[in-house]
Amino acid sequence: MPLTKITGGKLYDPTNGVDGEVRDLWIEGGRIVSPPADPTIHPARVINASGLAVMPGGVDIHCHIAGPAANAARIITPDQRRGEGNVLRRSDLTRSGTLGSVPSTFATGYKYAGLGYTTAFDAAIAPLGSRHAHLEFADTPCIDKGCFILMGNNQYALEAIEANDPARLRMFIAWLLGATKGYAPKLVNPGGVEVWKQSSTARGHGLDDPIPGYKITPRAVIREIVAAANDLGLPHPAHIHCNQLGMPGNWRTTLATMEAVESRRAHFAHIQFHSYGGGEGDEFSMSSRVADLADYVNAHPNLTVDVGQVMFGDAVAMTADGAAGYFLHKLYGNRWFNCDVEVEAGCGVTPIEYRRKSIVHALQWAIGLEWYLLVDDPWQVMMSTDHPNGGSFLAYPQIIRLLMDREFRRAAFARCPAAVRERCILGDLDREYTLSEIAVITRSGPARALGLKQKGHLGAGADADVTIYTPSENYQEMFELPRMVIKAGETIVDQGELRATPDGVALHNAPAFDQDRLPALESWFNDHYSLKIKNYALA
């Protein structure tokens, strides 16, 4: 395979301890390789990166870009996708598409690539929706992708936990990931969605409240699924959306959930939405409790979080937490979509607009930034907007500027309502991120948390996913328009123009499991589902 050499660039490769050093990078066969030992060997192609910043391709650990919920979000938000600025025209290289809060599949791939991202994970796919998700993945070019499979309200999982049968639960998790081509288990409001299906007012289900129909609690669901996933040795054992999302006072539930995983590895999703002080159900008393939760994360290196940063403007609440979707629909009076996916999960979708003048919305914005600034180790906190829940992934460059430019952040904070400044400590935080720390929270950290040893770094053997940026004092401009993006050794973006649209690959796990338990699962499955188990698994 022909050799490519990227020369003269300043490399930011935190995984390998490289912080802005001028080094050459060699690529062959879609991988980064060591420099040739023979000095007479010359590259077929040389990329001059002198004066430029070279980083691994971005890795988005938490977004919603495919599957039935994303499709429903596109259907119920036609107003967000109208107008010439939201339409992508077909070209000799690209397919047509739409933008808005939830871009169409092809547009999603193009726009991620345009930011320098080469990998993204959909964070909540019901097992029965995985076939749909993978079909959309096939139409999402330029990036590698994977999905987390919903398990926290799956009735078979709940029965295995109630029966105190860890082996049965491990077998089910392993089988389900293989059958759905999923990457990791996802828990969303564990046990709470099952409660809400029986009563639309039961949104605030606590961690130790019994789950109707079962002799277990959400705490038991979290503890046992996290334990089983860790025992299976999964690269990303558990991705947790805590109970009581968005409710004032929910920080106590979040802290209790962190304690419930004990010393096991676990990732907490869109943590901003779970960090609120105040009286339960009283949004007027809402405040930040990030400091308390960040202290716990700082003391527990087994935990990682992504932020779920709220950005002002249009968004879509799109969640497997049907209770939260219903609450927001009632709160804002917007149209909404809801789905109960057989015995597996629930789903809620409703449009939302975040307004700077709103005390609650501005406080959510500030709380997200506090998370980035209060977690000591950037390897434990990762960039996300919970796309499209807090805003679009296209806002990542603006978030980077807010983190790297203290004066820009202060000016933005000063435009928020005065009451917000009394309910959080953002105004007291002086920390500014470095380019190396940005590389951690957008690339190296997510790759490590996901167990992707071939992603997020520039060492020999890594995928040749490379982004080259032109340094600028305006960090938003710097990260909005990469000089070049390379995917698996192929240049896909050059000077802001798409040059190639490769398919990318679907990343998934299929752990081994006890085959002797399959007949019992098949019997249960055929009694409860509307389709046969033989038609369930993806080929």
Side-chain angles (χ1 to χ4, degrees):
M1 298 293 289
L3 277 169
T4 295
K5 179 183 179 182
I6 301 174
T7 184
K10 290 185 176 181
L11 268 59
Y12 293 88
D13 182 11
T15 299
N16 293 300
V18 181
D19 183 6
E21 299 175 27
V22 176
R23 295 191 182 185
D24 294 340
L25 203 61
W26 292 78
I27 296 172
E28 183 179 27
R31 299 273 183 173
I32 295 172
V33 297
S34 299
D38 184 350
T40 65
I41 295 177
H42 299 289
R45 180 190 183 202
V46 176
I47 298 171
N48 184 358
S50 297
L52 305 179
V54 181
M55 295 184 178
V59 178
D60 196 341
I61 196 171
H62 187 106
C63 59
H64 301 274
I65 58 174
N71 213 37
R74 296 177 185 118
I75 290 170
I76 69 171
T77 56
D79 51 308
Q80 294 186 10
R81 296 182 291 114
R82 292 179 182 140
E84 189 64 27
N86 281 322
V87 176
L88 295 181
R89 303 296 179 186
R90 186 184 181 101
S91 71
D92 292 339
L93 182 63
T94 63
R95 301 285 293 271
S96 61
T98 56
L99 297 176
S101 295
V102 188
S104 56
T105 51
F106 291 102
T108 295
Y110 304 149
K111 290 300 182 179
Y112 263 116
L115 291 182
Y117 274 74
T118 54
T119 307
F121 279 81
D122 192 292
I125 298 295
L128 269 172
S130 63
R131 190 180 303 274
H132 183 156
H134 278 278
L135 288 171
E136 291 201 334
F137 282 166
D139 280 344
T140 306
C142 302
I143 58 174
D144 296 336
K145 44 262 167 178
C147 59
F148 308 142
I149 300 298
L150 295 166
M151 300 185 189
N153 293 279
N154 186 296
Q155 289 189 18
Y156 190 87
L158 297 180
E159 288 187 13
I161 294 167
E162 183 178 51
N164 192 26
D165 191 343
R168 176 181 170 189
L169 182 62
R170 287 195 300 272
M171 173 269 172
F172 178 66
I173 291 173
W175 171 82
L176 192 59
L177 288 176
T180 60
K181 294 190 182 298
Y183 191 82
K186 175 67 179 293
L187 286 71
V188 172
N189 189 5
V193 173
E194 190 65 21
V195 174
W196 177 79
K197 290 178 184 180
Q198 302 181 39
S199 171
S200 63
T201 62
R203 180 168 176 255
H205 201 69
L207 211 60
D208 296 306
D209 296 331
I211 302 170
Y214 300 89
K215 297 177 182 178
I216 55 175
T217 64
R219 183 187 297 273
V221 176
I222 295 162
R223 182 184 63 245
E224 297 306 319
I225 291 182
V226 171
N230 274 266
D231 289 345
L232 284 168
L234 296 177
H236 188 64
H239 202 90
I240 302 172
H241 160 142
C242 294
N243 301 66
Q244 300 185 335
L245 175 143
M247 298 181 65
N250 67 4
W251 77 278
R252 299 179 184 86
T253 298
T254 304
L255 180 60
T257 306
M258 291 178 174
E259 294 169 344
V261 307
E262 299 171 344
S263 60
R264 301 179 182 94
R265 286 181 59 212
H267 180 87
F268 286 79
H270 42 66
I271 195 69
Q272 176 277 133
F273 289 107
H274 304 276
S275 307
Y276 305 155
E280 184 175 334
D282 179 10
E283 68 176 39
F284 297 105
S285 67
M286 185 170 152
S287 63
S288 170
R289 295 302 295 262
V290 176
D292 303 270
L293 294 171
D295 283 347
Y296 191 87
V297 171
N298 289 334
H300 291 81
N302 57 304
L303 304 180
T304 55
V305 303
D306 67 80
V307 171
Q309 179 68 45
V310 159
M311 301 299 285
F312 302 118
D314 285 334
V316 178
M318 183 170 72
T319 175
D321 189 343
Y326 178 76
F327 171 79
L328 290 171
H329 144 71
K330 297 290 286 185
L331 180 64
Y332 294 109
N334 290 335
R335 55 195 177 276
W336 87 304
F337 168 88
N338 174 251
C339 179
D340 173 6
V341 190
E342 295 239 359
V343 295
E344 297 183 331
C347 167
V349 181
T350 188
I352 188 171
E353 179 186 0
Y354 293 104
R355 297 179 172 89
R356 188 185 297 273
K357 293 182 179 180
S358 163
I359 293 174
V360 170
H361 295 169
L363 185 58
Q364 291 175 308
W365 173 87
I367 286 172
L369 294 175
E370 286 184 353
W371 266 104
Y372 291 110
L373 300 172
L374 289 172
V375 173
D376 295 335
D377 185 354
W379 290 92
Q380 288 183 265
V381 61
M382 289 141 209
M383 184 165 290
S384 79
T385 57
D386 188 15
H387 167 86
N389 286 277
S392 171
F393 64 83
L394 294 172
Y396 290 170
Q398 184 180 352
I399 299 171
I400 289 172
R401 186 179 181 190
L402 288 165
L403 297 178
M404 297 190 71
D405 186 338
R406 180 170 52 238
E407 295 308 316
F408 177 72
R409 183 171 70 238
R410 285 174 173 170
F413 190 43
R415 297 196 297 274
C416 293
V420 174
R421 298 194 287 274
E422 300 168 359
R423 301 187 190 195
C424 68
I425 62 171
L426 179 62
D428 299 328
L429 303 179
D430 292 332
R431 181 178 177 182
E432 289 181 321
Y433 267 62
T434 65
L435 279 173
S436 186
E437 288 176 325
I438 292 298
V440 171
I441 68 172
T442 61
R443 295 156 159 76
S444 304
R448 178 181 291 182
L450 289 162
L452 294 170
K453 296 182 180 180
Q454 77 281 20
K455 301 284 187 186
H457 70 98
L458 300 174
D463 290 348
D465 295 353
V466 183
T467 306
I468 303 174
Y469 294 101
T470 303
S472 170
E473 292 183 0
N474 185 325
Y475 297 110
Q476 182 173 343
E477 291 181 357
M478 174 180 173
F479 284 92
E480 279 180 340
L481 191 64
R483 168 63 179 81
M484 183 177 289
V485 182
I486 297 169
K487 179 77 187 75
E490 179 181 18
T491 298
I492 61 173
V493 176
D494 189 7
Q495 295 279 32
E497 297 292 330
L498 274 170
R499 302 300 187 192
T501 58
D503 290 336
V505 300
L507 302 163
H508 55 91
N509 287 303
F513 61 88
D514 183 358
Q515 297 285 333
D516 290 340
R517 287 181 174 266
L518 267 180
L521 172 61
E522 181 174 0
S523 176
W524 185 95
F525 195 101
N526 291 336
D527 286 342
H528 290 82
Y529 276 78
S530 63
L531 73 164
K532 299 298 183 183
I533 197 170
K534 65 181 181 181
N535 303 123
Y536 186 83
L538 278 66

